[in-house]
């Protein structure tokens, strides 16, 4: 099963930008930690970062039929992008929204997330650890979705057997 991790604008600057808010860890190190957790749990994982809204929309659309779960930090687009929200809603793949900082403790314009209503859950304010917490929740849900899907397939098979 595959998780796609999507990182929005300026997250490529982690380790340089506002360390008092986002910490000193670099994005590649966060991804390395996530990769290790994925390998331990036998999940596939892919990473994508873009500073462009349309590229993020495209990457979400590409998840259709390919990924079983999405972890997204849309960064500043969280507070502005109906296009990203619509893309998540369109693909119907379990998605967790992550923010390193607690957006509710910050400026008023960061309190609103256009993304949250179409996500399964949100992890905020836990710094870089939030990404691994999101993975743990998402992997659990992905197992449950897969078990349900298998049960449906088996149920269909049993029905065919009875019909025969
Ligand atoms: C952020 C919070 C956003 O408000 C901000 O624009 C970011 C990072 C976070 O992870 O805390 O770029 O998404």
């Amino acid at each position: 099963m595959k998780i796609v991790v999507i990182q929005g604008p300026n997250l490529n600057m982690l380790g340089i930008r506002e360390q008092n808010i986002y910490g000193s860890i670099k994005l590649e190190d966060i991804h390395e930690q996530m990769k290790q957790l994925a390998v331990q749990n036998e999940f596939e994982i892919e990473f994508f970062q873009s500073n462009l809204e349309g590229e993020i929309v495209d990457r979400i659309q590409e998840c259709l039929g390919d990924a079983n779960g999405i972890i997204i930090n849309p960064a500043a687009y969280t507070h502005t992008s109906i296009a990203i929200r619509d893309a998540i809603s369109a693909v119907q793949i379990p998605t967790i929204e992550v923010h390193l900082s607690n957006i509710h403790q910050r400026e008023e314009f960061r309190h609103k997330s256009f993304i949250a209503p179409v996500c399964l859950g949100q992890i905020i304010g836990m710094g870089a650890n939030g990404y691994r917490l999101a993975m743990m929740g998402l992997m659990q849900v992905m197992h449950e979705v897969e078990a349900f899907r298998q049960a449906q397939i088996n149920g269909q098979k049993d029905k065919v057997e009875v019909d025969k």
Side-chain angles (χ1 to χ4, degrees):
M1 284 187 285
K2 181 159 153 188
I3 299 174
V4 172
V5 182
I6 300 176
Q7 307 278 14
N10 300 307
L11 292 173
N12 54 321
M13 299 280 285
L14 286 181
I16 299 168
R17 75 184 284 219
E18 296 166 293
Q19 290 194 16
N20 56 323
I21 298 174
Y22 301 116
S24 54
I25 192 163
K26 291 194 184 112
L27 193 62
E28 65 207 50
D29 295 330
I30 294 176
H31 289 174
E32 188 49 44
Q33 291 175 347
M34 293 174 88
K35 192 155 190 184
Q36 280 176 22
L37 188 59
V39 169
Q40 280 162 18
N41 289 277
E42 298 178 355
F43 276 75
E44 252 185 272
I45 193 156
E46 256 177 43
F47 302 98
F48 177 78
Q49 189 278 328
S50 176
N51 295 327
L52 304 178
E53 185 177 18
E55 284 188 1
I56 294 171
V57 169
D58 285 345
R59 189 65 191 88
I60 295 166
Q61 290 182 8
E62 282 163 19
C63 288
L64 198 61
D66 180 48
N68 310 83
I70 297 173
I71 292 174
I72 187 164
N73 181 347
Y77 288 137
T78 307
H79 320 297
T80 61
S81 180
I82 296 169
I84 292 175
R85 175 206 175 111
D86 284 352
I88 295 170
S89 183
V91 295
Q92 293 282 305
I93 296 169
T95 298
I96 307 217
E97 176 186 352
V98 173
H99 297 286
L100 294 126
S101 63
N102 181 345
I103 52 177
H104 300 293
Q105 283 176 347
R106 302 184 62 195
E107 302 95 326
E108 182 102 35
F109 65 84
R110 294 187 205 273
H111 296 181
K112 166 96 186 152
S113 168
F114 280 103
I115 313 302
V118 294
C119 288
L120 186 66
Q122 199 189 36
I123 296 191
I124 64 165
M126 305 301 289
N129 288 334
Y131 287 99
R132 278 176 297 162
L133 293 173
M135 275 182 78
M136 286 186 236
L138 189 58
M139 289 189 299
Q140 177 71 37
V141 168
M142 286 161 71
H143 276 307
E144 283 165 14
V145 169
E146 185 55 20
F148 182 75
R149 206 179 67 83
Q150 286 300 332
Q152 275 189 323
I153 292 169
N154 292 339
Q156 289 295 333
K157 273 196 214 135
D158 292 346
K159 191 170 173 302
V160 173
E161 295 288 314
V162 171
D163 291 349
K164 274 189 202 158

